[in-house]
Amino acid sequence: MIDSTRYPRLSRIEHPSGLRAFDESELPAIADELRAFLIESVGKSGGHFAAGLGVIELTVALHYLFDTPVDQLIWDVGHQTYPHKILTGRRDAIHTVKQKDGVAPFPKREESEYDTFGVGHSSTSISAALGMSIALAQKGDPRKVVAIIGDGAMTAGMVYEALNHAGGMESQPDMIVILNDNRMSISENVGGLTQMLGRLTGNRTLNALREGGKRLLGDKNNPTARFVRRWEEHWKGMFVPSTLFEQMGFHYTGPIDGHDMSALVGMLKTLKTLKGPQLLHIITTKGKGYELAEGDQIAYHAVGPFDPAKGVVAKAGSAKKALTYTEVFGDWLCDMVATDSRLMGITPAMREGSGMVRFSKEYPERYFDVAIAEQHAVTLAAGMATHGAKPVVAIYSTFLQRAYDQLVHDVATQNLDVLFAIDRAGVVGPDGATHAGNLDLSFLRCVPGMVVMAPADENECRQMLSAGFHFNGPAAVRYPRGTGPGVAIKPDLDTLPIGKGEVRSHGSRVALLAFGATVSAAEAVGKELGLTVVNMRFIKPLDRELLLELAQSHEGFATVEDNVVAGGAGSAVAELLSAEGRVLPILHLGLPDAFQHHASREELLAEAHLDPAGIRTAVLRRWPGLDRPSSSALSAAG
């Protein structure tokens, strides 16, 4: 429970209606308490941190001025919403964020009526807000719709599709877009838009004159009003270096200080009364109010539990930490580019997450951060490949979904030489369904000409990356978040033969065909039950020769994968056997046909029965008696 002596105002706010009971003069003090409470809470639980600190004043102002949840707030990206969650009934549970059965780290419609739209990735809020505005207008519903977009989300192309649509509609929608400009995403923002926004300077006089002129001129379609609008844009160009948003049909206001509560409340009061699409540009500081986060916004984007008095400190210990798959990729990238000048590294705003920090510093001329623009990243790679480059697209599995058309249309149909290094594949964990990589094997293996690989360990990951790099055509290596089984990594750049699996242990009756991160669990079960265990390595092409050989010597297969069963690696095995006319019982083990909620990776694997205990139970249910000695073994013993 919250300490009412330390948080005398916040402790009285169970929901926004409680916030609106305070006098406006107390809002700065409430913001101070909310910021302190967020620092304390995330210090205990870990979670997304710096972005929430940057929107404290904005969150308070919005819930104070708008009648939420009747009025609709759409947050984008979702990791900005911890303060929103604290003010909307989840204050005393916020310390459970990201934990199994705890508060979700992103807006989640089924969790709260205040979470009007699920936003786990980014750049969807304006489209959603426009859709809400249109639907409400059709019903004659006067409630307000506000999209809050920031922390890098403005760099994605979908934003401009939505702006173009909203601003160009004949019947203009009444909606407000708040651009929270902190010049950051997870890393520093990149691109021309960021530079343009950085040059913008607010001019209150201009905005005041403009609104006064509108009232005097009346009908915006009369000749005088049209002339004045053209003159206004010319004049405004002397004050503001760009009129991008105005040209797209939005009334642009700002920029204003997003931490100045008085200015923020005053401007929002005005915008509430205006008709048509409005865009308010606010300037904020990511990590505001916590000096260490302000000084290192990247490190404090998301944190584990920490002592706010000391900040995030590295854990002591001399033992060498096991490399994550992400680090294996980062080291391989630097090693490979040193031997092959064709390599180009591309990331859609995930330099740190994809392990490309060292590469970006050592080979800046070969490093391309395209901002939150996954579609562009893939087609950029395709263009590079047409002129002899070998692009490597480092991308999370869940983000690759956003560029699937480009993967198919621009890369695969032209058989272009692009390698996809797919991080966070399979079960990811605490970030929930929006960040899970549960579908990639299904949507990749159906693409003609695509090679799809999944390593069982760290060294195999390095070998597969080399194999994919040297393969002439589109290839993908998908690997999980975190560390592997701890296999030593060889420094060379050896490859693996395309389409060849590896028998890890020879047994009898049933063969466990394991793909990628599930191999270790399958080995544990195979050892206990005396089964054959195969590290399949390749989802496409499958090792046809090996599978047909095993089908002759075993009475059944159990396929194991950290991908949904529907259309996954196990389905590929079944299709191959069917095409060959081989009838064999097959047990398919994989992720459920449902979106898993947030929990640890280990908890989610156990929930899906992909841990050793779950695999063992499923296999014994299908083939009873595998855990008992055979009659021949008993005779020999007797």
Side-chain angles (χ1 to χ4, degrees):
M1 293 292 292
I2 190 170
D3 184 345
S4 60
T5 61
R6 296 175 56 203
Y7 305 104
R9 299 170 184 84
L10 188 61
S11 61
R12 293 157 54 192
I13 302 172
E14 297 286 347
H15 294 91
S17 57
L19 170 64
R20 293 190 279 270
F22 284 89
D23 187 80
E24 185 179 318
S25 63
E26 294 198 74
L27 295 185
I30 292 172
D32 290 342
E33 290 185 23
L34 179 56
R35 178 170 279 112
F37 184 74
L38 180 64
I39 293 170
E40 177 188 355
S41 301
V42 178
K44 293 177 181 177
S45 65
H48 295 100
F49 186 55
L53 291 175
V55 294
I56 294 289
E57 287 80 10
L58 177 62
T59 306
V60 171
L62 286 171
H63 281 295
Y64 186 77
L65 293 173
F66 290 88
D67 184 21
T68 56
V70 176
D71 291 331
Q72 305 281 281
L73 303 183
I74 305 100
W75 293 89
D76 183 5
V77 288
H79 57 235
Q80 300 180 98
T81 56
Y82 286 25
H84 159 81
K85 287 175 181 270
I86 291 169
L87 293 179
T88 55
R90 290 160 281 184
R91 182 195 64 208
D92 295 336
I94 196 67
H95 65 280
T96 68
V97 70
K98 288 195 169 191
Q99 299 171 19
K100 184 176 175 60
D101 301 322
V103 173
F106 300 100
K108 194 172 184 179
R109 282 171 55 84
E110 56 264 47
E111 182 177 277
S112 171
E113 62 181 333
Y114 293 92
D115 293 358
T116 61
F117 197 78
V119 185
H121 295 315
S122 78
S123 316
T124 58
S125 59
I126 301 177
S127 296
L130 177 58
M132 292 177 184
S133 297
I134 293 171
L136 291 170
Q138 290 285 336
K139 297 189 296 183
D141 191 326
R143 73 178 80 180
K144 300 292 183 180
V145 179
V146 183
I148 306 100
I149 183 167
D151 212 39
M154 205 72 181
T155 61
M158 186 173 173
V159 168
Y160 301 94
E161 296 174 24
L163 289 171
N164 181 61
H165 183 197
M169 292 178 65
E170 184 172 342
S171 178
Q172 290 192 316
D174 290 331
M175 59 183 287
I176 300 172
V177 175
I178 299 176
L179 168 55
N180 171 31
D181 180 5
N182 61 14
R183 301 200 184 185
M184 293 291 294
S185 55
I186 295 176
S187 304
E188 299 90 346
N189 270 352
V190 297
L193 174 70
T194 300
Q195 296 177 20
M196 181 271 285
L197 292 176
R199 293 192 299 267
L200 287 175
T201 56
N203 192 283
R204 295 183 182 180
T205 302
L206 178 60
N207 284 315
L209 287 172
R210 176 183 198 182
E211 290 308 312
K214 282 184 178 179
R215 288 190 292 270
L216 287 172
L217 292 169
D219 183 5
K220 66 179 182 179
N221 293 313
N222 73 56
T224 304
R226 289 200 299 270
F227 171 78
V228 170
R229 279 205 312 278
R230 289 195 297 270
W231 170 82
E232 173 202 359
E233 294 305 328
H234 173 74
W235 187 46
K236 190 169 183 177
M238 295 187 294
F239 292 89
V240 181
S242 173
T243 55
L244 170 66
F245 302 117
E246 297 278 357
Q247 293 293 340
M248 297 188 83
F250 275 72
H251 169 207
Y252 172 88
T253 302
I256 66 171
D257 182 355
H259 301 299
D260 184 336
M261 185 67 79
S262 177
L264 200 55
V265 169
M267 189 58 69
L268 287 171
K269 283 182 178 178
T270 299
L271 292 179
K272 280 183 66 177
T273 67
L274 301 180
K275 295 293 185 180
Q278 311 291 322
L279 190 141
L280 172 62
H281 181 185
I282 69 172
I283 305 296
T284 63
T285 299
K286 189 168 182 174
K288 178 70 174 179
Y290 187 69
E291 186 176 354
L292 293 172
E294 290 187 39
D296 193 348
Q297 296 169 329
I298 295 173
Y300 282 86
H301 170 77
V303 296
F306 70 101
D307 181 351
K310 299 178 181 177
V312 175
V313 294
K315 292 183 179 179
S318 58
K320 182 175 174 58
K321 182 174 71 73
L323 287 181
T324 65
Y325 282 102
T326 302
E327 291 168 330
V328 171
F329 165 72
D331 290 342
W332 171 85
L333 193 66
C334 292
D335 293 344
M336 183 58 78
V337 73
T339 68
D340 196 319
S341 61
R342 298 178 301 147
L343 190 152
M344 302 289 183
I346 301 171
T347 177
M350 294 304 295
R351 180 184 66 179
E352 283 75 19
S354 292
M356 299 182 76
V357 173
R358 177 185 156 205
F359 178 80
S360 70
K361 294 177 180 177
E362 294 183 8
Y363 300 94
E365 74 286 356
R366 299 187 180 280
Y367 168 73
F368 301 89
D369 184 343
V370 303
I372 303 176
E374 294 86 358
Q375 295 168 303
H376 168 58
V378 173
T379 304
L380 174 71
M384 289 178 176
T386 63
H387 282 272
K390 179 72 187 197
V392 178
V393 179
I395 191 167
Y396 285 12
S397 172
T398 184
F399 298 148
L400 182 57
Q401 294 166 183
R402 308 181 84 174
Y404 188 58
D405 178 61
Q406 286 68 31
L407 185 151
V408 174
H409 185 274
D410 300 334
V411 175
T413 60
Q414 303 183 90
N415 195 38
L416 291 174
D417 203 9
V418 178
L419 173 62
F420 295 89
I422 305 174
D423 204 331
R424 274 40 169 206
V427 171
V428 175
D431 284 338
T434 57
H435 284 60
N438 296 6
L439 310 175
D440 55 56
L441 296 186
S442 299
F443 70 67
L444 287 172
R445 79 171 190 85
C446 64
V447 178
M450 192 89 188
V451 169
V452 185
M453 300 169 264
D457 57 55
E458 300 89 337
N459 190 59
E460 197 166 82
C461 183
R462 183 176 173 92
Q463 292 175 317
M464 286 182 176
L465 289 165
S466 295
F469 185 83
H470 291 297
F471 176 75
N472 185 22
V477 181
R478 58 97 75 173
Y479 43 89
R481 180 180 187 178
T483 58
V487 172
I489 300 172
K490 297 178 181 178
D492 52 39
L493 293 167
D494 287 350
T495 65
L496 291 173
I498 299 293
K500 292 298 178 182
E502 171 198 31
V503 177
R504 286 286 181 99
S505 62
H506 292 275
S508 62
R509 296 189 62 185
V510 174
L512 299 180
L513 311 179
F515 295 83
T518 65
V519 170
S520 293
E523 281 192 292
V525 175
K527 182 178 181 180
E528 179 186 353
L529 300 180
L531 309 179
T532 296
V533 178
V534 182
N535 170 20
M536 289 300 295
R537 289 179 170 167
F538 289 84
I539 294 84
K540 186 174 184 178
L542 287 170
D543 192 335
R544 174 182 174 276
E545 182 180 347
L546 176 60
L547 287 174
L548 294 180
E549 178 186 319
L550 292 170
Q552 287 185 321
S553 57
H554 291 76
E555 64 183 74
F557 286 167
T559 63
V560 191
E561 60 188 299
D562 59 340
N563 186 84
V564 293
V565 171
S571 295
V573 173
E575 290 163 15
L576 185 148
L577 293 178
S578 177
E580 296 289 339
R582 300 294 179 90
V583 179
L584 196 71
I586 304 179
L587 170 65
H588 296 301
L589 301 178
L591 298 175
D593 186 23
F595 292 108
Q596 290 182 296
H597 297 296
H598 54 281
S600 71
R601 176 174 163 79
E602 292 72 26
E603 287 171 327
L604 292 176
L605 286 170
E607 184 181 281
H609 309 297
L610 290 179
D611 59 342
I615 295 171
R616 181 184 187 278
T617 299
V619 169
L620 289 177
R621 185 182 298 119
R622 185 64 177 272
W623 290 282
L626 284 178
D627 56 340
R628 295 192 297 271
S630 66
S631 57
S632 60
L634 288 172
S635 299

